[in-house]
Amino acid sequence: MSVETIIERIKARVAAVDPNGPRKVLGVFQLNIKTASGVEQWIVDLKQLKVDQGVFASPDVTVTVGLEDMLAISGKTLTVGDALKQGKIELSGDADLAAKLAEVI
């Protein structure tokens, strides 16, 4: 599986959110996904309900994770909490919002 597959899953989840309904997660996530060829950077903006490649100047949460661990988290075989405990993911920013990361990815 690739970064593109993960991003397509995230895009589908974001697209399924009702912009006029209540939302569980409201913030901007900067995803830095480490791959064999470097770091791919993605912005998951749950305020504007969009996902774009690039860097956001001041995200609410910054996530740095390897591709394999991102796949495990996305596939629900690894929790964000376990990934943190095992040093497989780095989070910075709003701790409460970061705790809701699994709902996003």
Side-chain angles (χ1 to χ4, degrees):
M1 200 178 295
S2 66
V3 172
E4 290 77 24
T5 304
I6 293 170
I7 296 302
E8 288 306 314
R9 281 185 189 173
I10 294 171
K11 284 182 178 181
R13 288 181 181 154
V14 170
V17 173
D18 179 357
N20 299 315
R23 297 190 219 167
K24 293 180 182 177
V25 184
L26 191 62
V28 179
F29 292 82
Q30 174 69 52
L31 297 181
N32 300 320
I33 304 171
K34 298 182 278 187
T35 67
S37 59
V39 177
E40 290 202 29
Q41 297 177 302
W42 290 87
I43 303 161
V44 179
D45 185 341
L46 298 178
K47 294 177 182 176
Q48 301 297 318
L49 295 178
K50 60 183 182 176
V51 179
D52 294 306
Q53 192 162 16
V55 177
F56 195 80
S58 55
D60 297 303
V61 178
T62 299
V63 179
T64 302
V65 62
L67 177 58
E68 292 303 317
D69 296 319
M70 184 68 174
L71 290 170
I73 293 167
S74 180
K76 308 293 185 215
T77 59
L78 177 67
T79 67
V80 173
D82 286 344
L84 275 168
K85 289 176 192 171
Q86 297 170 19
K88 295 182 175 186
I89 188 171
E90 297 172 34
L91 295 174
S92 63
D94 184 326
D96 291 334
L97 198 55
K100 298 177 182 178
L101 179 63
E103 295 178 37
V104 177
I105 58 174

